[in-house]
Amino acid sequence: MSDAVLLERRGEIALVTVDNPPVNALGQSVRAGLLAAFQQAEADPQVRAVVLVCAGRTFMAGADIREFGKPPQAPSLPEVVEAIENATKPSVAVIHGTALGGGLEVALSCHYRIARRDAQVGLPEVKLGLLPGAGGTQRLPRLAGVEKALDMIVSGTPIRAPEALEFNVVDEFIDGDLVEAGLAFAQRLLADGKGPRRTGERNERVQQAGLAELIAHKRGEVQKRLPGQFSPQRCIDAVEAATQLPLRDGLVRERELFMQCMESPQRAAQIHAFFAEREAAKVEGLAADVLPREVRSAAVIGGGTMGVGIVLCFANAGIPVKLLEVSDEALQRGLDRARSTYAASVARGSLSAEEMERRMGLISGVLDYAALGDADVVVEAVFESLDVKRQVFERLDATCKPGAILASNTSSLDLDEIAAFTQRPQDVVGLHFFSPANVMRLLEVVRGKATSDAVLASAMQLGKRLKKVSVVVGVCDGFVGNRMIFQYGRQAEFLLEEGATPAQVDRALRAFGMAMGPLAVRDMSGLDISHAIRSRQRPNLKPGQTLPTVLDHLIAAGMLGQKSGTGFYHYGEGRTAQDNPALPAMLEQAAAERGITRAPVEDEEIVERCIYALINEAANILDEGIAQRASDVDVIFLNGYGFPAWRGGPLFYADSVGLARVLERIREFHQRLGAWWQPAPLLERLVAEGRRFADL
Ligand code: 3HC
Ligand code: NAI
């Protein structure tokens, strides 16, 4: 037996405990231990049933992802699972926490499953560019039905215990001690004379009529919704096999498809993204003994678009939060917006009316700073003006208790200047939420010159509580994400002036995998905002850095994007984007101002110009120490900007294209298009040394 798996006898029942912190991943020692334990239980004449539990915070969370891409070590998970299912003594999996991926596959191979009411089960392999490779695609449809199994496997989203019970994935809920509950259930089985009940033998639900149509429909839907992605279609192929082949052959087919995914570059990119996200939580240079401050109450200043979203984040996390505004009217507007956002979730069925009231009960409105004296953290989200921020931070400094964390949601102002408005710059940090703040997962945690280690650690811990992916960034215009996106958006506009259309630019980048095209995004967030940023940046341009002028023409015509009904696109009925008939003349004019003639542009050029502009800027950002590590840049783009997970983020993508090739194109653009394309020194160094971003 291995250290990670313990086998004990409890009367007639063998108790198998997996103990492999932190998440009981099914690494080699767990697989070997499980196989040995089930084999011993099978061979022991005193044993009549087996109970499988996990120690620590969760049931097995899946295969050990760190082993992927390395030479396989026996026993394989399919071997383990087969031995468990084929055993002649009934087995019970006792599920708590999250039974995910290979963990759920082990549970499905047990003959019965019982679970805590707050447990979750799922097959998230698709999020790693894989498919369930230890029988999940064959066994889950046999329990939950093909439709539900397809949904779960193709989306990768786990379901909660009540739904698992409804769909036969779980047999019963348990309370109290896991081991006691498992033993009691097994004793009941024995008393009732129940033997093994093998999932693989339950064929009724995979042999129903109409499954071929169901599968074809899903295939079409996935083709449309997730173009370019390899593993979702392979997931469907594998489930289809469950409906066409006997278990044994279906498992063989699943294995083949699993290996195809394993070898795909998308798998490598998505696993990079998984570990990059966890790595981002680690802050360089923090003393090991630094203690984060406790956050029991919060306040938000400014109840506009962002402020209300941030208030919702706190309430969602169960943290009482006060919203401060300038007038009764503005305050009421903010509170109403909070309530109507929750009401929309209730109407959609994603939140109960009771939970909405509980969360609204955590939110209170105030007009006076005196009410903020007890707040552990205050997030400022007032107008983007240094003068207004000064007024707010001076007041906060005067009223907040010592040790309160003072945060600004500024997206473009200098955090160090804001911190200097207080006598306690060490307590000031940036919390740069993305819009809508209650939806977007990304949080840039801005480390100012004076921000103390304790405040930074507290901000990171708070981000986790708010269910955000938090990434530490340094102070500069736009921090990491927006600073890169300025380059990307500017190229999109230049390309229009050179001859492309908005629809072509957006289509090319969506085909690359971006969730939305850059020009549709601009129209959504408002061209006046882009224009204001542009105007602010103008005085800081370096020699040779010219700006596209199409935005000036649109603004002059009152075309501000979706909010005015027209921007790069015209928005007709139901907000569908159509061509803006006034745009071609504006682009001709802009081209004339630049002294160029508009001519067709290739899609490949569009993608390279926009994406390589991101990469070049990211290299400068890394060189300046604004981001801690290359993978942090990837995390920011994957979670805040709709960059395709299956490309791993801009810098993982750069490595996969080859930095020499990227630099070669950037040099060509530099020659042809001028100053914006000055190659980043870091990129040049990496190419000269034959290294990649991943080697930094
Ligand atoms: N393998 C290896 N390490 C894992 C792991 C796994 N499956 N799951 C989590 N970890 C590690 C994390 O990297 C992290 O390590 P670190 O502390 O050194 O950074 C640590 O465990 C804790 O993880 P989280 O910070 O994510 O902890 P949370 O409590 O926030 O979340 C979780 C727990 C929900 C289990 C989350 O970790 C998770 O979603 N894990 C991945 C689950 C998954 O994708 N499983 C499928 C694997 S593929 C598979 O099973 C193939 C099979 O079909 C053959
Ligand atoms: P907004 O204009 O929607 O809201 C600002 C709110 O602040 C208004 O309700 C106003 O009444 C209130 N306010 C103004 N002065 C105040 C004061 N002295 N005290 C209390 N309340 C005051 O602005 P938005 O978009 O919510 O932006 C707020 C901040 O968030 C800005 O710093 C902005 O740069 C930043 N941000 C905005 C993002 C966006 O997409 N809108 C994204 C990320 C950050």
Side-chain angles (χ1 to χ4, degrees):
M1 200 76 39
S2 74
D3 288 349
V5 181
L6 183 71
L7 173 66
E8 297 163 84
R9 270 268 310 285
R10 298 286 180 93
E12 299 176 308
I13 297 167
L15 176 65
V16 180
T17 307
V18 175
D19 187 3
N20 185 29
V23 297
N24 291 314
L26 282 146
Q28 192 275 338
S29 64
V30 174
R31 294 194 305 274
L34 273 177
L35 185 62
F38 274 85
Q39 283 170 343
Q40 278 186 35
E42 182 72 0
D44 185 343
Q46 312 284 331
V47 169
R48 293 181 58 215
V50 185
V51 169
L52 171 63
V53 296
C54 289
R57 67 195 217 216
T58 177
F59 196 77
M60 290 166 264
D64 188 332
I65 302 169
R66 288 164 306 188
E67 289 181 355
F68 293 168
K70 298 188 183 148
Q73 287 177 286
S76 71
L77 194 55
E79 261 175 81
V80 176
V81 157
E82 192 174 331
I84 296 176
E85 180 164 86
N86 291 340
T88 58
K89 299 169 185 177
S91 55
V92 186
V94 185
I95 299 173
H96 76 295
T98 42
L100 298 178
L104 179 59
E105 291 174 301
V106 168
L108 294 176
S109 72
C110 288
H111 304 142
Y112 300 87
R113 284 154 299 279
I114 55 180
R116 287 248 175 97
R117 280 165 219 273
D118 59 355
Q120 295 188 36
V121 304
L123 293 172
E125 285 86 344
V126 73
K127 295 187 177 167
L128 303 172
L130 287 168
L131 54 85
T137 64
Q138 307 303 298
R139 293 195 177 88
L140 188 61
R142 286 176 155 83
L143 289 182
V146 172
E147 188 172 5
K148 185 69 187 170
L150 268 178
D151 276 354
M152 286 178 67
I153 294 169
V154 171
S155 72
T157 310
I159 58 172
R160 295 178 184 281
E163 211 179 341
L165 188 74
E166 181 189 336
F167 282 93
N168 305 314
V169 182
V170 159
D171 298 299
E172 222 172 89
F173 285 152
I174 52 167
D175 297 306
D177 184 71
L178 297 172
V179 170
E180 295 309 319
L183 293 174
F185 186 88
Q187 269 147 5
R188 238 187 320 130
L189 285 179
L190 294 176
D192 295 346
K194 291 197 175 142
R197 184 196 55 174
R198 298 187 182 93
T199 309
E201 292 170 355
R202 297 166 74 176
N203 294 329
E204 192 191 325
R205 307 205 69 180
V206 289
Q207 290 172 351
Q208 288 168 346
L211 294 179
E213 292 74 16
L214 182 73
I215 286 166
H217 179 262
K218 187 77 178 177
R219 212 184 279 291
E221 185 244 315
V222 166
Q223 178 69 38
K224 220 153 99 209
R225 198 166 45 82
L226 308 170
Q229 295 198 35
F230 185 72
S231 67
Q233 289 291 355
R234 303 293 82 72
C235 289
I236 300 176
D237 295 345
V239 174
E240 183 177 41
T243 68
Q244 295 174 336
L245 303 172
L247 179 72
R248 180 152 301 279
D249 298 343
L251 290 171
V252 171
R253 179 79 184 123
E254 177 193 78
R255 199 69 201 161
E256 280 167 16
L257 292 163
F258 179 78
M259 293 317 293
Q260 285 178 18
C261 290
M262 197 55 119
E263 280 152 25
S264 120
Q266 295 189 4
R267 188 275 302 165
Q270 286 178 257
I271 286 182
H272 160 78
F274 177 86
F275 285 117
E277 191 174 315
R278 271 114 198 121
E279 194 64 19
K282 294 163 193 158
V283 184
E284 275 170 14
L286 273 196
D289 57 356
V290 62
L291 270 187
R293 295 181 191 163
E294 218 176 313
V295 171
R296 286 199 217 92
S297 63
V300 173
I301 316 293
T305 313
M306 293 307 288
V308 170
I310 298 167
V311 162
L312 296 173
C313 290
F314 281 110
N316 293 346
I319 301 171
V321 54
K322 289 176 180 159
L323 173 63
L324 184 141
E325 258 291 355
V326 281
S327 66
D328 267 329
E329 204 190 350
L331 182 58
Q332 200 49 50
R333 243 196 332 267
L335 295 173
D336 288 348
R337 180 117 52 107
R339 178 168 284 280
S340 64
T341 308
Y342 278 143
S345 305
V346 172
R348 267 199 313 275
S350 58
L351 188 75
S352 70
E354 193 186 2
E355 182 58 19
M356 162 172 165
E357 290 310 325
R358 198 186 66 78
R359 293 186 195 180
M360 280 308 295
L362 292 169
I363 303 173
S364 51
V366 301
L367 292 168
D368 187 349
Y369 280 77
L372 307 186
D374 62 347
D376 296 314
V377 60
V378 183
V379 184
E380 166 278 312
V382 300
F383 299 137
E384 188 73 336
S385 137
L386 209 51
D387 268 348
V388 184
K389 308 263 185 207
R390 174 200 289 274
Q391 290 164 27
V392 170
F393 275 83
E394 284 175 354
R395 297 294 299 274
L396 290 176
D397 193 23
T399 39
C400 290
K401 67 182 179 189
I405 300 160
L406 307 183
S408 172
N409 182 46
T410 180
S411 51
S412 59
L413 299 174
D414 183 335
L415 184 80
D416 293 328
E417 280 188 62
I418 294 176
F421 298 147
T422 73
Q423 304 297 312
R424 36 174 142 172
Q426 73 282 359
D427 290 335
V428 178
V429 67
L431 289 180
H432 184 216
F433 289 83
F434 288 71
S435 183
N438 52 317
V439 176
M440 296 294 289
R441 288 182 80 214
L442 179 62
L443 179 66
E444 284 183 330
V445 174
V446 189
R447 182 183 210 165
K449 230 176 21 227
T451 308
S452 75
D453 283 3
V455 166
L456 189 64
S458 311
M460 292 300 281
Q461 193 181 64
L462 176 63
K464 186 149 185 155
R465 269 178 86 191
L466 301 183
K467 299 220 160 53
K468 300 293 175 196
V469 178
S470 311
V471 186
V472 175
V473 300
V475 177
C476 67
D477 184 13
F479 309 121
V480 172
N482 284 349
R483 175 166 157 185
M484 286 168 64
I485 216 74
F486 295 151
Q487 301 287 346
Y488 171 87
R490 198 180 302 113
Q491 287 306 315
E493 287 172 44
F494 276 136
L495 285 157
L496 292 183
E497 296 181 357
E498 287 162 35
T501 64
Q504 187 198 3
V505 170
D506 282 354
R507 194 176 349 97
L509 286 154
R510 276 203 320 273
F512 173 81
M514 299 301 291
M516 277 179 83
L519 300 166
V521 169
R522 291 288 207 74
D523 271 357
M524 197 174 70
S525 48
L527 300 187
D528 48 338
I529 295 187
S530 302
H531 195 252
I533 294 173
R534 199 56 69 74
S535 307
R536 190 170 42 71
Q537 290 171 338
R538 206 177 293 268
N540 302 326
L541 294 180
K542 296 193 183 123
Q545 292 182 336
T546 54
L547 292 175
T549 55
V550 54
L551 205 52
D552 303 325
H553 294 293
L554 285 164
I555 296 289
M559 297 178 176
L560 309 182
Q562 285 194 13
K563 64 174 125 179
S564 72
T566 311
F568 287 107
Y569 296 93
H570 176 69
Y571 297 88
E573 284 285 301
R575 286 215 170 163
T576 45
Q578 302 156 2
D579 290 345
N580 170 1
L583 188 67
M586 294 179 185
L587 292 173
E588 288 298 340
Q589 204 181 335
E593 284 158 6
R594 272 172 71 191
I596 56 172
T597 308
R598 299 187 75 228
V601 181
E602 298 285 324
D603 284 2
E604 189 185 356
E605 163 122 357
I606 293 174
V607 171
E608 286 189 335
R609 292 263 297 273
C610 293
I611 303 294
Y612 292 2
L614 290 177
I615 295 167
N616 201 44
E617 190 67 14
N620 286 324
I621 283 172
L622 282 171
D623 232 4
E624 292 168 27
I626 296 292
Q628 296 191 98
R629 45 182 93 86
S631 62
D632 281 6
V633 172
D634 289 338
V635 173
I636 287 173
F637 263 73
L638 294 172
N639 292 288
Y641 296 87
F643 199 92
W646 49 277
R647 293 198 191 268
L651 297 186
F652 186 88
Y653 174 70
D655 279 347
S656 67
V657 171
L659 295 191
R661 155 86 190 161
V662 173
L663 180 60
E664 185 192 316
R665 293 295 285 154
I666 288 177
R667 285 184 172 143
E668 282 170 34
F669 295 147
H670 189 212
Q671 283 232 314
R672 173 150 62 92
L673 302 159
W676 287 114
W677 287 100
Q678 178 67 45
L682 174 64
L683 191 56
E684 292 188 308
R685 285 202 307 277
L686 287 173
V687 171
E689 293 162 7
R691 295 162 75 212
R692 303 165 307 158
F693 283 113
D695 301 323
L696 284 172

